Amino acid sequence: MTTPPVITRLSDPEFGSLCDDLAAQASLWNVPEHWPGGPIHQCAASGALRWTLSSDHGGVDWSPDRQLLAYHRLAQADLTTTFVLTQYAGACRRIAGSENAAVRARHMEALLSGDRFGTVGISHLTTSRRHLDRPILSARQTDDGGLVLSGVAPWVTGAAHAEVIVLGATLDDGREALVAVPTDLPGVHCGPGVSMIALSASCTDMVRLDDVVVSPSMIVAGPVDDVMSTGSGGGTGGLQTSALALGLAAAAIDFLADESDARPELTPIADQLKRDCEAQLDDLLTAANPPGEDQHQVHKTEAPCDPMAIRGRANDLVMRCTQAAMTAAKGAGFVEGHPVGRWCREALFFLVWSCPQPIAQNHLCNLAGVSGDTAG
Ligand SMILES: Cc1cc2nc3c(=O)[nH]c(=O)nc-3n(C[C@H](O)[C@H](O)[C@H](O)COP(=O)(O)OP(=O)(O)OC[C@H]3O[C@@H](n4cnc5c(N)ncnc54)[C@H](O)[C@@H]3O)c2cc1C
């Protein structure tokens, strides 16, 4: 197989071809046995992991808005592959941003070239199992500065396919560490992927760690308080989830627009949703670059928007667009195998993926028709 050229501009014809290839295969990824290894490797070989890194870390110095636009376009073509890519890119960014030269030297080149697949299991430090009394994945320090990890990382996308997983763990004193754990270490048990209502082919599952001994050379960050606020792993932060939601919304709008060729009553619906989607994408791209930074291929609005508000609106839009597409597709859309049914299920993912509690609470209030104050 020939290696595709590394894409350095979104205007490269190769980027359009990559999106077309992803879209052509998107309907194939339905169950955990359907891991989209080919498209993931194609994206990595096309430079998709380098897009989110600076040149001193092996990247291509793309501005945050350009990174988001690229992932938005990929998500429009194939959400499963693009979602896996975000977790892969998250592992790359965390390791690239590490002050530990040993961990960078061990993994970076193999990860960026696509020769090694990496992923993250960090949600238990942010949005998962936060209500429990004890950390679900604990760490204790060894005399040589290493760690022993015990417990469970509840959500790890592509765990069974990963050679390395960046895991978050909590020490008894409350400090946290991020560790690049090779999956062939004794005591690491990766689930094969659970069956979910959508994105099952992302092979998301828990990873159990039975007294896994990790050396200092594997520590990415910490132990420190609030390790997630350190390093450059956050990248564009929560905005990336919104970029993917708007990508899926755009796929549903394209379907409505195609249908409207033969059904003129759908034209104003598709047009209005398209305007909403474009306005939200503009806000997203504006919010991605701090004031004063150059923008690429986007229009500026007066004030950058709050990422939380952007996520809330993107969640709302992706639900509206996919359900509008289902309404237009009628019973045919409800039959297994029609893309609109898959998109409707995928839209629900944004209600739970990395969803900050205020957005979840706001959504619940809207559904129940109560004000945020009433709900406490
Ligand atoms: C398809 C998919 C892929 C994912 N991939 C990754 C990944 O690769 N890496 C990663 O780090 N994360 C990943 N995540 C995790 C994701 O970002 C969220 O953290 C996760 O969806 C939060 O859900 P949870 O069930 O763990 O939440 P929890 O808050 O743990 O809720 C679980 C259950 O606990 C109960 N509960 C919740 N809150 C309370 C409370 N206050 N008091 C009492 N009971 C409560 C409820 O019954 C709830 O159903 C993924 C999630 C999904 C769905």
Side-chain angles (χ1 to χ4, degrees), residues 239-280:
L239 293 176
Q240 195 177 54
T241 60
S242 302
L244 265 59
L246 294 180
L248 179 58
I253 294 167
D254 284 348
F255 171 83
L256 282 165
D258 285 349
E259 284 287 300
S260 70
D261 286 345
R263 299 160 67 187
E265 73 278 12
L266 293 178
T267 302
I269 310 295
D271 286 351
Q272 181 58 46
L273 289 172
K274 191 165 194 284
R275 277 193 294 275
D276 286 356
C277 198
E278 285 172 353
Q280 289 201 25

Side-chain angles (χ1 to χ4, degrees), residues 17-88:
S17 304
L18 176 65
C19 292
D20 291 346
D21 287 351
L22 259 55
Q25 300 172 79
S27 65
L28 301 176
W29 321 124
N30 297 306
V31 293
E33 291 74 28
H34 295 170
W35 172 249
I40 293 164
H41 191 270
Q42 187 183 358
C43 289
S46 301
L49 302 160
R50 301 182 191 274
W51 300 341
T52 66
L53 291 172
S54 59
S55 50
D56 50 342
H57 289 142
V60 290
D61 285 328
W62 277 11
S63 59
D65 58 346
R66 194 185 297 187
Q67 298 170 27
L68 290 174
L69 196 54
Y71 275 69
H72 165 78
R73 297 263 304 277
L74 294 181
Q76 185 174 352
D78 173 5
L79 186 69
T80 300
T81 297
T82 309
F83 166 60
V84 174
L85 208 57
T86 64
Q87 308 309 87
Y88 191 174

